Amino acid sequence: MTSRVPEFPEYIRENYPAQGRLFGDFLGGLWAAACEALDVPLEQSVRTTRMLRALLPPWAHERIGTTPAQPSYVADDGFPAEMSVNWSGDRPELRVLFDSLGHEIVWPGESGFRARRFEHVRETFTPRAGRPSPAPLWHSIAWRPPSGIVHKTYFGLYSWPHAQRETAVAEAMERLGMAAAWDDARRRVETVEGDREIEFFAVDLADEAHARVKIYYRNHEAGLAEVERVASAALNHDPARARAAYRTLAGDRTDAGEAALSCLAFRSGVDRAAESTTYLRLPDLAPDDREAVERTATLLHDQGVDPGRFRALAAALTPGPLADSRGVLELVSFRAAARHGDVTTYFRLPVYDRPPPSPLSPVDLAWRFPEG
């Protein structure tokens, strides 16, 4: 496929501005536009768009106002969802992450293992286990054609005291039989200079052979060398590839920008973190979305991925010229493990007119969606 940036004037007129539309209609329209940009066959696009609408929480049936009625940490303006795409493999994997905003989410057709896995750790993150408040739940669906939908759940720990986060994570890893792996990873991370904090604990609701547990750190004022050393806590990590990827995204900067994230992924039977992913916030590292897209396209090309569909997707999700936009391409992550092209791009949707009042936590959460 040639690298081109198509225009989507009809789609943009239909979907922006978002005010007055139902959340579910707006997100469904974005999903359909993403499917078009990614060359997904129409039948699959229609089917998965309907599936997305059915899986969203009850707030999907409410109308979008000028400011969020219940601000979410998912995006800086309080919008409760983001879209992302992983570019490894033969086909891109399309994802939507959303905040439950206190609603119960029931995944249809979950296997006994998946349900048990979630319930096994859920109480750890509630006041019943001595926590100061229930951890907010974020969920995501991920779809790589022609496979089925994969579900993921994230426990947000960002409003708790740091000691409570550490205790809850240690208890959850013990329940999952991964205490030794977590102890090893924690010791390795603690040897790296700098300041960081645990913000999320996540579980893949997948079959046992593929399921991961993921722990996310937010780094404070970290350099690129520092986040690479955190990533090196994982068993499967290529430092040279990682450093090259970070340099491409950061341009002439040697720092990792504001609130870079580090994710350590754990798998059953592995006695240390199996893989790591680093997330860089492009709005802090690039002057606008055009430059952010160009740097990401270069990274994809260097990883053997034709950036044409990525460019098309960025155009489809941005309500206007990329040069006039900043922050739609919010995060880009890179995992230097076995797969080439393991880059994920995270898009924040420009919905609300102005930032909302600060939500519940004193922590200004900079990351809103984990790698897959």
Side-chain angles (χ1 to χ4, degrees), residues 188 227-235 237 239 243 264 272 276:
R188 292 174 186 272
V227 296
E228 196 287 311
R229 284 193 283 275
V230 174
S232 293
L235 177 64
H237 177 72
R243 286 192 292 266
L264 299 179
R272 60 183 286 191
S276 60

Side-chain angles (χ1 to χ4, degrees), residues 56-78:
L56 289 172
W59 53 250
H61 304 293
E62 300 172 2
R63 294 197 179 276
I64 300 172
T66 56
T67 57
Q70 185 177 351
S72 171
Y73 275 170
V74 170
D76 289 335
D77 68 352

Side-chain angles (χ1 to χ4, degrees), residues 16-19 26 77 317-319 325 327-328 348-353:
Y16 288 97
Q19 282 77 31
F26 178 66
D77 68 352
L317 298 181
T318 306
S325 171
V328 173
R348 300 286 165 76
L349 316 170
V351 174
Y352 293 115
D353 292 339

Side-chain angles (χ1 to χ4, degrees), residues 165-315:
R165 306 183 204 184
E166 297 278 355
T167 300
V169 167
E171 182 178 325
M173 293 297 275
E174 177 73 34
R175 290 189 175 201
L176 294 169
M178 297 180 174
W182 168 236
D183 286 343
D184 176 87
R186 180 178 49 79
R187 286 194 299 268
R188 292 174 186 272
V189 171
E190 288 176 352
T191 65
V192 180
E193 74 282 4
D195 184 21
R196 64 193 58 86
E197 59 186 282
I198 297 174
E199 288 204 325
F200 277 88
F201 183 92
V203 292
D204 287 352
L205 304 184
D207 293 333
E208 188 166 12
H210 302 96
R212 296 165 300 166
V213 174
K214 294 174 288 183
I215 296 171
Y216 292 83
Y217 287 94
R218 174 185 176 183
N219 297 282
H220 298 279
E221 300 180 353
L224 294 176
E226 180 182 325
V227 296
E228 196 287 311
R229 284 193 283 275
V230 174
S232 293
L235 177 64
N236 299 307
H237 177 72
D238 186 328
R241 284 179 56 209
R243 286 192 292 266
Y246 305 160
R247 286 195 299 269
T248 298
L249 294 174
D252 59 1
R253 300 263 292 268
T254 59
D255 65 294
E258 180 186 353
L261 283 192
S262 301
C263 172
L264 299 179
F266 300 82
R267 298 181 185 272
S268 296
V270 182
D271 60 3
R272 60 183 286 191
E275 300 143 359
S276 60
T277 304
T278 300
Y279 303 70
L280 301 182
R281 294 188 68 224
L282 271 294
D284 188 48
L285 295 170
D288 52 42
D289 279 318
R290 179 174 61 182
E291 178 65 22
V293 166
E294 288 306 313
R295 293 183 190 179
T296 306
T298 299
L299 175 59
L300 288 170
H301 181 270
D302 292 345
Q303 293 294 310
V305 177
D306 188 323
R309 285 182 291 188
F310 163 70
R311 293 179 184 276
L313 179 65

